[in-house]
Amino acid sequence: SGSTLTLCPGFNRLSRSERARNSIHEVAHGTTGITSSGGGTTDVSYRHERLFPRLPTADALRNSDSFALLVLAWTTPSYRIPAPPTDTFSGFASTTDSDKVRDGIGMAERWLKWSTQELSGIYNSIVEGRPTTTWANGYYRESMRKIAPKFSLTIPTSASVFPTLSEQVAVAGIADRYDTIKSKVARTDLSLVNAPPTPPVTTSVTTFLPGTYSIGTDFFASSAANQPKVLVKALIAAESSISSSLKTPFLEAAEILNARNP
């Protein structure tokens, strides 16, 4: 079956190159056979994110922006890829350690991106379904089913099990909190400092703006897969708009939503 490309109102305000990049990016999502899995591309990393210049070949070959920017590199040599944030690293024993932190903060940024986008999608699906109190979007109903227990919200076991108005407001609040944290990481230069190894300390956010992070022994004791979680945990811990009782649910939900976007 064919795919549908929907242009948003702001599309025509973009430059010619950005319109081309945006179109190629979206069309690649719906082009079957373009990736080794036989399907379309996904969004492993956007061009302005920390992970983009560090993507392994296998990930670049399934990443929409990688395809779009390759075409622009061929056809529009003057096009300049937006630079990711310029983070600084201090006190690390080796480039191996600083690279682990570099990749960890890149993945933490990705966790927050997907948490924000998924919650926004859930909220919009609730608004869309409000007139009939029925879930019209099965994907976001499943996202809601997975995270609802974390926040004591109604679990949508079927399309007709629909959130109350107060739960709709709660979802909007959760989305806002994730977006608030993401805004303090994405497109923002950070200072990452290696904490002294003794006594052992946990990773923490020293200041949000400017962003200064103390990388503790818990980060390096974690596997590469869990290092982003250490950083997201520190970000949530530092966010004053999230109550203490909800910090663990926010972290667990972020992990769930990131897993839905491998």
Side-chain angles (χ1 to χ4, degrees):
S1 62
S3 300
T4 300
L5 177 63
T6 302
L7 301 180
C8 66
F11 181 81
N12 287 328
R13 294 196 294 270
L14 299 173
S15 68
R16 182 179 179 183
S17 293
E18 279 303 311
R19 292 198 302 271
R21 185 208 60 79
N22 197 296
S23 298
I24 297 166
H25 175 111
E26 299 302 337
V27 168
H29 281 315
T31 304
T32 57
I34 197 172
T35 65
S36 60
S37 67
T41 56
T42 188
D43 291 322
V44 183
S45 181
Y46 296 133
R47 64 201 184 285
H48 58 270
E49 293 176 339
R50 292 171 172 84
L51 287 182
F52 187 80
R54 299 177 64 80
L55 287 178
T57 300
D59 282 340
L61 288 173
R62 64 187 184 93
N63 185 52
S64 261
D65 254 2
S66 298
F67 279 88
L69 295 182
L70 176 62
V71 173
L72 283 174
W74 282 337
T75 61
T76 313
S78 60
Y79 182 81
R80 292 292 178 264
I81 300 174
T86 304
D87 300 324
T88 59
F89 301 82
S90 305
F92 296 99
S94 65
T95 55
T96 299
D97 282 354
S98 59
D99 280 347
K100 288 179 180 179
V101 178
R102 196 186 308 274
D103 289 337
I105 197 65
M107 285 301 298
E109 180 182 15
R110 188 176 191 274
W111 275 43
L112 295 168
K113 170 185 71 179
W114 285 122
S115 298
T116 302
Q117 290 188 12
E118 289 273 340
L119 261 298
S120 177
I122 291 171
Y123 178 79
N124 290 334
S125 294
I126 294 173
V127 171
E128 180 185 359
R130 177 61 59 196
T132 60
T133 61
T134 303
W135 288 91
N137 188 304
Y139 176 88
Y140 287 117
R141 178 170 73 85
E142 178 62 12
S143 293
M144 180 66 163
R145 187 189 69 78
K146 287 179 175 291
I147 68 165
K150 304 299 180 184
F151 299 101
S152 300
L153 300 173
T154 299
I155 301 172
T157 52
S158 69
S160 61
V161 179
F162 202 74
T164 65
L165 280 171
S166 62
E167 289 179 321
Q168 178 177 325
V169 173
V171 169
I174 296 167
D176 176 74
R177 300 305 186 276
Y178 279 126
D179 188 54
T180 296
I181 300 173
K182 179 175 73 72
S183 70
K184 296 171 180 176
V185 178
R187 303 176 189 263
T188 301
D189 298 342
L190 303 176
S191 175
L192 301 127
V193 181
N194 191 27
T198 53
V201 296
T202 57
T203 296
S204 62
V205 177
T206 307
T207 59
F208 260 140
L209 294 173
T212 303
Y213 297 16
S214 175
I215 307 301
T217 49
D218 57 337
F219 178 87
F220 292 108
S222 300
S223 66
N226 282 326
Q227 286 171 343
K229 185 175 182 178
V230 173
L231 292 165
V232 173
K233 180 179 180 180
L235 284 158
I236 292 172
E239 179 51 52
S240 60
S241 66
I242 299 175
S243 64
S244 297
S245 63
L246 287 177
K247 291 188 185 295
T248 295
F250 265 86
L251 178 62
E252 292 175 347
E255 186 170 25
I256 290 169
L257 296 174
N258 179 67
R260 281 180 65 70
N261 296 275

